[in-house]
Amino acid sequence: MVEIKGDTVTVDFSEELRGAHGAAGEAMVLNSLVNTLTEFDYIERAFFTIEGQVEPLGHFIPDEPFIRNEDAIKK
């Protein structure tokens, strides 16, 4: 499910999102998702749920929306 409210997109994933290994792998996945979604002019934040619930992804607890991270983009 994808829902947009204002400048925030919420994306609901299945359990497979937990497949990233270690903190570095999780950070890469989250940064990639957020930076891709915020390519749209009207999206500034991205929020993620798993099976409709706010749950830890391992090392990260997505309890508030993430913002774009330009430092994670290879130039």
Side-chain angles (χ1 to χ4, degrees):
M1 181 222 34
V2 176
E3 181 180 8
I4 299 171
K5 287 186 180 176
D7 65 356
T8 303
V9 62
T10 299
V11 182
D12 186 44
F13 287 95
S14 65
E15 289 289 327
E16 285 76 19
L17 183 62
R18 295 183 203 269
H21 298 287
E26 291 167 8
M28 284 183 11
V29 168
L30 287 174
N31 281 315
S32 295
L33 289 168
V34 173
N35 288 343
T36 298
L37 292 166
T38 56
E39 282 288 317
F40 295 98
D41 293 337
Y42 51 93
I43 302 295
E44 292 185 23
R45 295 171 187 66
F47 187 72
F48 305 109
T49 55
I50 297 177
E51 304 289 340
Q53 302 296 316
V54 176
E55 295 189 22
L57 299 174
H59 294 87
F60 296 92
I61 300 173
D63 55 354
E64 59 184 61
F66 292 92
I67 60 171
R68 187 172 186 79
N69 181 358
E70 292 285 332
D71 293 335
I73 300 172
K74 184 175 180 178
K75 298 183 184 195

